[in-house]
Amino acid sequence: MSLGFGLTPIVCLGESAEERDAGLEKQVLERQFAGGPGALTAEEFSRILIAYEPVWAIGTGRVATPEIAAAAHRFIRQCAAERFSAGHATALRILYGGSVKPDNIQGLMAQEELDGALVGGASLDAKSFASIVNFS
């Protein structure tokens, strides 16, 4: 991964429905972390964002519950602490992506572990996107 162009990469991690149903979400996230952001140097790692974007929630209208999202974010942060340091893990910004909509943004953002949202299809409608951005 080249970080030499002044861009901030958003590295997406997430499991499929089959992997989640089989209880393999942590193994999948750990493998994806190790092969992606975990392979960076500490300096490179400090310049990226991570998005937990469960494949089963992308464009399906099915969204992770706030509790599922929070658990995944905690686990990803744990992976960062183990690979790099507690400081790197604390500084890491982890977004949630996967069918983020005006009707679920408040519950998601109420979770302390979620640092923001990666909005996909809902950003194509100005009114919908404004509702997400201006949630309170």
Side-chain angles (χ1 to χ4, degrees):
M1 179 182 315
S2 175
L3 296 171
F5 298 102
L7 300 175
T8 301
I10 300 174
V11 181
C12 297
L13 309 177
E15 74 283 1
S16 69
E18 295 79 17
E19 291 163 334
R20 172 156 280 285
D21 292 344
L24 300 174
E25 61 274 5
K26 284 186 175 180
Q27 291 91 325
V28 171
L29 291 173
E30 187 172 36
R31 183 182 73 241
Q32 291 173 345
F33 184 89
L40 297 171
T41 66
E43 191 276 326
E44 290 170 330
F45 182 78
S46 69
R47 296 170 45 208
I48 69 165
L49 301 174
I50 291 181
Y52 170 59
E53 190 156 8
V55 177
W56 51 268
I58 300 171
T60 64
R62 184 177 164 198
V63 66
T65 65
E67 296 77 18
I68 288 173
H73 284 228
R74 269 192 305 276
F75 183 74
I76 292 167
R77 203 170 302 281
Q78 176 187 328
C79 290
E82 290 172 2
R83 166 60 179 94
F84 297 103
S85 71
H88 281 89
T90 300
L92 174 63
R93 296 294 150 245
I94 305 174
L95 311 175
Y96 172 77
S99 296
V100 175
K101 305 259 187 278
D103 64 342
N104 64 27
I105 189 67
Q106 189 157 355
L108 289 165
M109 293 300 99
Q111 301 299 308
E112 184 179 320
E113 293 83 357
L114 279 68
D115 297 315
L118 181 62
V119 182
S123 69
L124 300 175
D125 177 88
K127 187 175 180 180
S128 175
F129 189 59
S131 294
I132 293 169
V133 171
N134 295 314
F135 85 93
S136 59

